[in-house]
Amino acid sequence: MYELVGRFGVERRTVSTILHRHGVPMLRRGLSPEQVDDAIHLYKLGWSLARVGDHLGVNHTTVLNKLRERAIPTRDSHGRPRVDASGAR
């Protein structure tokens, strides 16, 4: 997938959508511990989950899950701290 992104200069999500539409099987890549560290750093600098995910070549939910695994406080789409179901931030 990443070779196609580079070759054709399109977004990773576009390539993923096209491959999925045509039934091409893909391996889930995930993030290495070093990439998670990088994601945390960028997120703390104010980058959005989507921007961090695009930078690292993964979906924003992958980034969110890794931040949660490391107990990193996250923001909502307006940049405010997220509040969990108990009302805690």
Side-chain angles (χ1 to χ4, degrees):
M1 177 171 11
Y2 299 99
E3 182 179 334
L4 295 172
V5 167
R7 180 181 295 177
F8 296 107
V10 295
E11 291 285 326
R12 180 193 56 79
R13 284 178 272 184
T14 302
V15 173
S16 177
T17 299
I18 292 168
L19 293 175
H20 182 73
R21 184 181 311 141
H22 292 281
V24 176
M26 293 179 280
L27 297 174
R28 294 209 174 262
R29 197 171 68 110
L31 295 173
S32 70
E34 294 79 19
Q35 288 175 309
V36 175
D37 292 341
D38 191 29
I40 291 168
H41 174 73
L42 295 173
Y43 188 74
K44 286 182 174 181
L45 287 177
W47 286 32
S48 69
L49 293 171
R51 185 175 176 199
V52 173
D54 284 344
H55 177 74
L56 296 172
V58 296
N59 190 281
H60 70 279
T61 55
T62 301
V63 176
L64 178 60
N65 290 336
K66 292 300 181 182
L67 294 178
R68 287 179 174 163
E69 285 176 13
R70 297 261 190 109
I72 303 299
T74 56
R75 304 178 299 269
D76 68 12
S77 60
H78 301 287
R80 298 178 298 234
R82 287 188 192 272
V83 178
D84 67 20
S86 70
R89 291 182 185 253

